[in-house]
Amino acid sequence: MENNMFGPPTIRPADGWRDYELLDATGGFRLERWGEVLLQRPDPQVIWQDARYSDQWQNVDAIYHRSEKGGGSWEYRRKLPERWEIGYRDLTFIVSPTGFKHTGVFPEQAANWDLYDKLIRGAKRPVKVLNLFGYTGGATLACLAAGASVTHVDASKGMVAWAKENAAASGLADRPVRWMVDDCQKFVAREQRRGSFYDAVIMDPPSYGRGPGGEIWKLEEAIWPLLAQVVAVLNDHPLFFAVNSYTTGLAPGVAGYMLGRLLPGKCGGTVHSGEIGLPVAATGGVLPCGSTAVWMGSLQGG
């Protein structure tokens, strides 16, 4: 394996939003605008105790408080709709604060949605995408809008239903997509036995989770065998393979190294790894929000 196959580490900001904005971040919290709604949410990455530069902290509509017993709850300063919509480029997402502080959208992932769009449109051929741990469908929608067909897999029936609603809200319900409520490992194993192959794979595995049958998922133990298993369902001329992670101990280069060991020897191409983040409006900095490693086929020029 050539040493020059790895690109330099980078941080890519999701700077194309209009309906979402990270207004400020300090003291363990983010101050975010979701359409017309201001939310204050805890973030373990925000370890600095800087001044609050935005004057919008006093106008927050809801604050998420963590519980010492795990989980947490929302404190509402004013009555909010249970759900509302925000847009990113031509995509529409339904936002709803959940009991686990999340809203159904990870806005930093827009940096990856733009990359998938570019790669699929640039391929100039039909592209079949496998999106594992697909959550509420941000990556699925981006790939459908770019012209790909997608198989969306998630173990949560509720998340798959939410993804379907996002597709309908984005005018993509009639695009070629399979919605699968299934354990990702078991699904890939069946696809391999069936001889189903894909041009591209997107994986956003959790640090810890359970499948629909109670199967336990631990990232550190499961990620390598799953990656090796998924590589087997790539076709002979794959386009890209992306792995996202929010696990603190998994550095971007670790996922990149694994892809580098599994893919270039078989398919050529190059691996790029780095962080994705959100611009902080009040300071001009970028908040790191997760890591991504992407293998791109040689037809993409690395």
Side-chain angles (χ1 to χ4, degrees):
M1 185 170 58
E2 296 295 329
N3 290 333
N4 64 359
M5 58 171 282
F6 293 100
T10 59
I11 181 166
R12 293 182 289 120
D15 54 8
W17 282 98
R18 297 294 178 267
D19 287 352
Y20 170 86
E21 189 175 14
L22 178 54
L23 298 170
D24 203 357
T26 189
F29 284 93
R30 298 184 188 184
L31 176 65
E32 303 167 292
R33 178 179 63 81
W34 298 82
E36 300 300 321
V37 177
L38 297 184
L39 300 180
Q40 180 178 324
R41 297 192 296 160
D43 189 321
Q45 296 279 57
V46 183
I47 61 174
W48 50 90
Q49 301 291 329
D50 201 1
R52 289 185 169 186
Y53 289 102
S54 173
D55 58 6
Q56 293 298 303
W57 289 94
Q58 303 303 316
N59 300 323
V60 66
D61 296 309
I63 303 173
Y64 187 85
H65 298 285
R66 290 193 182 279
S67 169
E68 294 181 358
K69 299 179 181 179
S73 61
W74 288 94
E75 173 196 350
Y76 290 96
R77 299 289 180 84
R78 72 177 178 93
K79 184 175 178 59
L80 296 178
E82 289 186 7
R83 317 173 90 200
W84 65 95
E85 293 183 352
I86 63 171
Y88 180 76
R89 305 198 190 282
D90 294 331
L91 307 178
T92 299
F93 298 96
I94 298 167
V95 175
S96 180
T98 70
F100 299 96
K101 90 168 183 177
H102 299 301
T103 64
V105 181
F106 286 82
E108 62 276 4
Q109 287 294 334
N112 285 328
W113 304 339
D114 289 346
L115 175 62
Y116 306 151
D117 180 277
K118 177 182 177 181
L119 293 174
I120 291 167
R121 293 182 189 275
K124 306 298 184 182
R125 61 181 171 94
V127 175
K128 184 180 177 184
V129 177
L130 175 60
N131 185 14
L132 298 173
F133 310 95
Y135 194 54
T136 58
T140 292
L141 268 59
C143 293
L144 290 174
S149 62
V150 182
T151 297
H152 175 109
V153 188
D154 197 282
S156 169
K157 183 177 180 180
M159 291 301 106
V160 173
W162 197 337
K164 289 182 181 180
E165 291 183 85
N166 284 333
S170 298
L172 299 170
D174 61 344
R175 297 296 176 94
V177 56
R178 291 194 298 163
W179 304 105
M180 310 299 297
V181 179
D182 206 342
D183 176 81
C184 289
Q185 293 168 294
K186 292 181 179 179
F187 179 82
V188 171
R190 287 196 299 273
E191 288 291 85
Q192 188 175 0
R193 291 195 297 269
R194 287 188 286 249
S196 297
F197 296 99
Y198 295 86
D199 302 284
V201 173
I202 299 166
M203 288 176 51
D204 199 347
S207 301
Y208 178 87
R210 289 184 180 272
E215 304 88 350
I216 295 177
W217 164 274
K218 292 183 180 180
L219 183 73
E220 294 84 350
E221 298 174 3
I223 185 66
W224 173 257
L226 180 59
L227 284 173
Q229 187 179 27
V230 176
V231 166
V233 299
L234 288 173
N235 65 22
D236 291 336
H237 301 286
L239 187 63
F240 67 89
F241 194 129
V243 179
N244 304 299
S245 176
Y246 291 93
T247 301
T248 305
L250 186 68
V254 174
Y257 188 91
M258 289 189 291
L259 290 180
R261 294 301 300 160
L262 288 167
L263 278 160
K266 171 185 177 182
C267 308
T270 56
V271 177
H272 299 264
S273 61
E275 293 177 294
I276 53 176
L278 291 167
V280 183
T283 65
V286 177
L287 174 67
C289 298
S291 64
T292 298
V294 184
W295 170 86
M296 290 182 281
S298 57
L299 293 179
Q300 297 303 322

